[in-house]
Amino acid sequence: MGYAHLRELQTALTTASDLTTALQSAPNRHDADQLVDVLRQALTAASSLGAETGPTGCALHPHGAVDPLYGDPEDPLPPGYGKCLLCNDRRRRADAHSPHIRRFARPHPRWRRPLSA
């Protein structure tokens, strides 16, 4: 998809360049409108180059499923969650399994460390 938008941008800019080269010292309204239309096409093509690659906007899963809770005002997603259902599911699983905290057992009351000589 990116290549098609790039090609469209190049074509629009070439057309705009050709139109400005052909302009006389005082262009008429039709020529100006034609140039504005071509420049708008170039702007649209240029802005679509950096657009999201799919409905999820995710770099890993651009055409994956959109999380049904995305944008839900009654049950909003936590901060940092995006549209991608696959990534959000991974985050949910990671949040459910918090890191294991290693706790050191207390020594038995009768246990004593031997004294070194």
Coordinates of all heavy atoms in Angstrom, one line a residue, residues 56-101:
T56 N -6.0 -1.9 13.0 CA -5.6 -1.9 14.4 C -4.5 -0.8 14.7 O -4.4 -0.4 15.8 CB -5.0 -3.3 14.7 OG1 -3.8 -3.5 13.9 CG2 -6.0 -4.4 14.5
G57 N -3.8 -0.4 13.7 CA -2.7 0.6 13.9 C -1.5 -0.1 14.6 O -0.6 0.6 15.0
C58 N -1.5 -1.4 14.6 CA -0.4 -2.1 15.3 C 0.6 -2.5 14.3 O 0.3 -3.0 13.2 CB -1.0 -3.4 15.9 SG 0.2 -4.5 16.7
A59 N 1.9 -2.3 14.7 CA 3.0 -2.7 13.8 C 3.1 -4.2 13.7 O 3.5 -4.7 12.6 CB 4.3 -2.1 14.3
L60 N 2.8 -5.0 14.7 CA 2.9 -6.4 14.7 C 1.7 -7.1 14.0 O 1.9 -8.1 13.3 CB 3.0 -7.0 16.1 CG 4.3 -6.5 16.9 CD1 4.2 -7.0 18.3 CD2 5.5 -7.0 16.2
H61 N 0.5 -6.6 14.2 CA -0.7 -7.2 13.7 C -1.5 -6.1 13.0 O -2.6 -5.8 13.5 CB -1.5 -7.8 14.8 CG -0.7 -8.6 15.8 ND1 -0.4 -8.1 17.1 CD2 -0.2 -9.8 15.7 CE1 0.3 -9.0 17.7 NE2 0.5 -10.1 16.9
P62 N -1.1 -5.5 11.9 CA -1.8 -4.4 11.2 C -3.2 -4.8 10.8 O -4.1 -4.0 10.7 CB -0.9 -4.0 10.1 CG 0.0 -5.2 9.8 CD 0.1 -5.9 11.1
H63 N -3.4 -6.0 10.4 CA -4.7 -6.4 9.9 C -5.4 -7.4 10.9 O -6.2 -8.2 10.4 CB -4.6 -7.1 8.5 CG -4.0 -6.1 7.5 ND1 -4.7 -5.0 7.0 CD2 -2.8 -6.0 6.9 CE1 -4.0 -4.3 6.2 NE2 -2.8 -4.9 6.1
G64 N -5.0 -7.3 12.1 CA -5.6 -8.2 13.1 C -7.0 -7.7 13.5 O -7.5 -6.7 13.0
A65 N -7.5 -8.3 14.5 CA -8.8 -8.0 15.0 C -8.7 -6.7 15.9 O -7.8 -6.5 16.7 CB -9.4 -9.1 15.8
V66 N -9.8 -5.9 15.9 CA -9.9 -4.7 16.7 C -10.5 -5.1 18.0 O -11.5 -5.8 18.0 CB -10.7 -3.6 16.0 CG1 -10.9 -2.4 16.9 CG2 -10.0 -3.2 14.7
D67 N -10.0 -4.7 19.1 CA -10.5 -5.0 20.4 C -11.9 -4.4 20.6 O -12.1 -3.2 20.3 CB -9.6 -4.4 21.5 CG -9.9 -5.0 22.9 OD1 -11.1 -5.3 23.2 OD2 -9.0 -5.1 23.7
P68 N -12.9 -5.2 20.9 CA -14.3 -4.7 21.0 C -14.5 -3.7 22.1 O -15.4 -2.9 22.1 CB -15.1 -6.0 21.2 CG -14.2 -7.0 21.6 CD -12.9 -6.7 21.1
L69 N -13.6 -3.7 23.1 CA -13.7 -2.7 24.2 C -13.0 -1.4 23.8 O -13.2 -0.4 24.6 CB -13.0 -3.3 25.4 CG -13.7 -4.5 26.0 CD1 -13.0 -5.0 27.3 CD2 -15.2 -4.2 26.4
Y70 N -12.4 -1.3 22.7 CA -11.7 -0.1 22.3 C -12.8 1.0 22.1 O -13.7 0.8 21.3 CB -10.9 -0.2 21.1 CG -10.1 1.0 20.7 CD1 -9.0 1.4 21.3 CD2 -10.6 1.9 19.7 CE1 -8.3 2.5 21.0 CE2 -9.9 3.0 19.3 CZ -8.8 3.4 20.0 OH -8.1 4.5 19.7
G71 N -12.7 2.1 22.8 CA -13.6 3.2 22.6 C -14.9 3.1 23.4 O -15.8 3.9 23.3
D72 N -15.0 2.0 24.2 CA -16.2 1.8 25.0 C -16.2 2.7 26.2 O -15.3 2.6 27.1 CB -16.3 0.3 25.4 CG -17.6 0.0 26.1 OD1 -18.5 0.9 26.3 OD2 -17.7 -1.2 26.6
P73 N -17.1 3.7 26.3 CA -17.1 4.6 27.5 C -17.5 3.9 28.8 O -17.0 4.4 29.8 CB -18.1 5.7 27.1 CG -19.0 5.0 26.1 CD -18.2 4.0 25.4
E74 N -18.3 2.8 28.7 CA -18.7 2.2 30.0 C -17.6 1.3 30.6 O -17.5 1.1 31.8 CB -19.9 1.4 29.7 CG -21.1 2.2 29.4 CD -22.4 1.4 29.1 OE1 -22.4 0.2 29.4 OE2 -23.3 2.0 28.6
D75 N -16.8 0.7 29.7 CA -15.7 -0.2 30.1 C -14.4 0.2 29.4 O -14.0 -0.6 28.5 CB -16.1 -1.7 29.9 CG -15.2 -2.7 30.5 OD1 -14.4 -2.2 31.4 OD2 -15.2 -3.8 30.2
P76 N -13.8 1.3 29.7 CA -12.6 1.7 29.0 C -11.4 0.8 29.2 O -11.3 0.2 30.2 CB -12.4 3.1 29.5 CG -12.9 3.1 30.9 CD -14.1 2.2 30.8
L77 N -10.6 0.8 28.2 CA -9.3 0.0 28.3 C -8.3 0.8 29.2 O -8.4 2.0 29.3 CB -8.7 -0.2 26.9 CG -9.5 -1.0 26.0 CD1 -8.9 -1.0 24.6 CD2 -9.5 -2.5 26.5
P78 N -7.4 0.0 29.9 CA -6.4 0.7 30.7 C -5.5 1.6 29.9 O -5.4 1.4 28.6 CB -5.7 -0.5 31.3 CG -6.6 -1.6 31.2 CD -7.4 -1.4 30.0
P79 N -4.8 2.5 30.4 CA -3.9 3.4 29.7 C -2.8 2.5 29.0 O -2.3 1.5 29.6 CB -3.3 4.3 30.8 CG -4.2 4.2 31.9 CD -4.9 2.9 31.9
G80 N -2.4 2.9 27.8 CA -1.4 2.2 27.1 C -2.0 1.1 26.2 O -1.2 0.6 25.4
Y81 N -3.2 0.7 26.3 CA -3.8 -0.3 25.4 C -4.2 0.4 24.1 O -4.7 1.6 24.1 CB -5.0 -0.9 26.1 CG -4.7 -2.0 27.1 CD1 -3.8 -1.7 28.1 CD2 -5.4 -3.2 27.1 CE1 -3.5 -2.7 29.1 CE2 -5.1 -4.1 28.0 CZ -4.2 -3.9 29.0 OH -3.9 -4.9 29.9
G82 N -4.1 -0.3 23.0 CA -4.5 0.2 21.7 C -5.7 -0.5 21.2 O -6.5 -1.1 21.9
K83 N -5.8 -0.5 19.8 CA -6.9 -1.1 19.2 C -6.7 -2.6 18.9 O -7.7 -3.3 18.8 CB -7.1 -0.5 17.8 CG -7.7 0.9 17.8 CD -7.9 1.3 16.3 CE -8.4 2.7 16.2 NZ -8.6 3.1 14.8
C84 N -5.5 -3.1 18.9 CA -5.2 -4.4 18.5 C -5.6 -5.4 19.6 O -5.1 -5.4 20.8 CB -3.7 -4.6 18.3 SG -3.2 -6.3 17.8
L85 N -6.5 -6.3 19.3 CA -7.0 -7.3 20.2 C -5.9 -8.3 20.6 O -5.9 -8.7 21.8 CB -8.2 -8.1 19.6 CG -8.8 -9.2 20.4 CD1 -9.4 -8.6 21.7 CD2 -9.8 -9.9 19.6
L86 N -5.1 -8.7 19.7 CA -4.0 -9.6 20.0 C -3.0 -9.0 21.1 O -2.7 -9.7 22.0 CB -3.3 -10.0 18.8 CG -4.1 -10.8 17.7 CD1 -3.4 -11.0 16.4 CD2 -4.6 -12.1 18.3
C87 N -2.6 -7.8 20.9 CA -1.7 -7.2 21.8 C -2.4 -6.9 23.1 O -1.8 -7.1 24.2 CB -1.1 -5.9 21.2 SG 0.0 -6.1 19.9
N88 N -3.6 -6.5 23.1 CA -4.4 -6.2 24.3 C -4.6 -7.5 25.1 O -4.5 -7.5 26.4 CB -5.7 -5.5 24.1 CG -5.5 -4.1 23.6 OD1 -4.4 -3.5 23.7 ND2 -6.6 -3.5 23.1
D89 N -4.8 -8.6 24.4 CA -4.9 -9.9 25.1 C -3.6 -10.3 25.8 O -3.6 -10.8 26.9 CB -5.4 -11.0 24.1 CG -5.6 -12.3 24.8 OD1 -6.4 -12.3 25.7 OD2 -5.0 -13.3 24.3
R90 N -2.5 -10.0 25.1 CA -1.2 -10.3 25.7 C -1.0 -9.5 26.9 O -0.5 -9.9 28.0 CB -0.1 -10.1 24.7 CG 1.3 -10.4 25.2 CD 2.4 -10.0 24.2 NE 2.5 -8.6 24.3 CZ 2.5 -7.8 23.3 NH1 2.3 -8.2 22.0 NH2 2.7 -6.5 23.4
R91 N -1.4 -8.2 26.9 CA -1.3 -7.3 28.0 C -2.1 -7.8 29.2 O -1.7 -7.7 30.3 CB -1.6 -5.9 27.6 CG -0.6 -5.2 26.8 CD -1.0 -3.8 26.5 NE -0.1 -3.2 25.5 CZ -0.3 -3.0 24.2 NH1 -1.5 -3.3 23.7 NH2 0.6 -2.4 23.5
R92 N -3.4 -8.2 28.9 CA -4.3 -8.7 29.9 C -3.7 -9.9 30.6 O -3.8 -10.0 31.8 CB -5.6 -9.0 29.3 CG -6.5 -7.8 28.9 CD -7.8 -8.2 28.4 NE -8.6 -7.1 27.9 CZ -8.7 -6.7 26.7 NH1 -8.2 -7.5 25.7 NH2 -9.4 -5.7 26.3
R93 N -3.1 -10.8 29.8 CA -2.6 -12.0 30.4 C -1.3 -11.7 31.3 O -1.1 -12.3 32.3 CB -2.2 -13.0 29.3 CG -3.3 -13.6 28.6 CD -2.9 -14.5 27.4 NE -4.0 -14.9 26.6 CZ -4.5 -16.1 26.7 NH1 -4.0 -17.0 27.5 NH2 -5.5 -16.4 25.9
A94 N -0.6 -10.7 30.8 CA 0.6 -10.3 31.6 C 0.2 -9.6 32.9 O 0.8 -9.8 34.0 CB 1.5 -9.4 30.8
D95 N -0.9 -8.8 32.8 CA -1.4 -8.2 34.0 C -2.0 -9.2 35.0 O -1.9 -9.0 36.2 CB -2.4 -7.1 33.7 CG -1.9 -5.9 33.0 OD1 -0.6 -5.8 33.0 OD2 -2.6 -5.1 32.4
A96 N -2.6 -10.2 34.5 CA -3.2 -11.3 35.4 C -2.2 -12.1 36.1 O -2.4 -12.5 37.2 CB -4.1 -12.2 34.6
H97 N -1.0 -12.3 35.5 CA 0.1 -13.0 36.1 C 1.2 -12.1 36.5 O 2.2 -11.9 35.8 CB 0.6 -14.1 35.1 CG -0.4 -15.1 34.7 ND1 -1.0 -16.0 35.5 CD2 -1.0 -15.2 33.5 CE1 -1.8 -16.7 34.8 NE2 -1.9 -16.3 33.6
S98 N 0.9 -11.4 37.6 CA 1.9 -10.5 38.1 C 3.2 -11.2 38.4 O 3.2 -12.4 38.7 CB 1.5 -9.7 39.3 OG 1.2 -10.6 40.3
P99 N 4.4 -10.5 38.3 CA 5.6 -11.2 38.5 C 5.7 -11.8 39.9 O 5.2 -11.3 40.9 CB 6.7 -10.1 38.4 CG 5.9 -8.8 38.1 CD 4.5 -9.1 38.0
H100 N 6.2 -13.0 39.9 CA 6.4 -13.7 41.2 C 7.4 -13.0 42.1 O 8.5 -12.7 41.7 CB 6.8 -15.1 41.0 CG 5.8 -16.0 40.3 ND1 5.0 -15.5 39.3 CD2 5.5 -17.3 40.4 CE1 4.2 -16.5 38.9 NE2 4.5 -17.6 39.5
I101 N 6.9 -12.7 43.3 CA 7.8 -12.0 44.2 C 8.5 -13.1 45.0 O 7.9 -14.0 45.7 CB 7.0 -11.1 45.1 CG1 6.4 -10.0 44.3 CG2 8.0 -10.5 46.2 CD1 5.4 -9.2 45.1

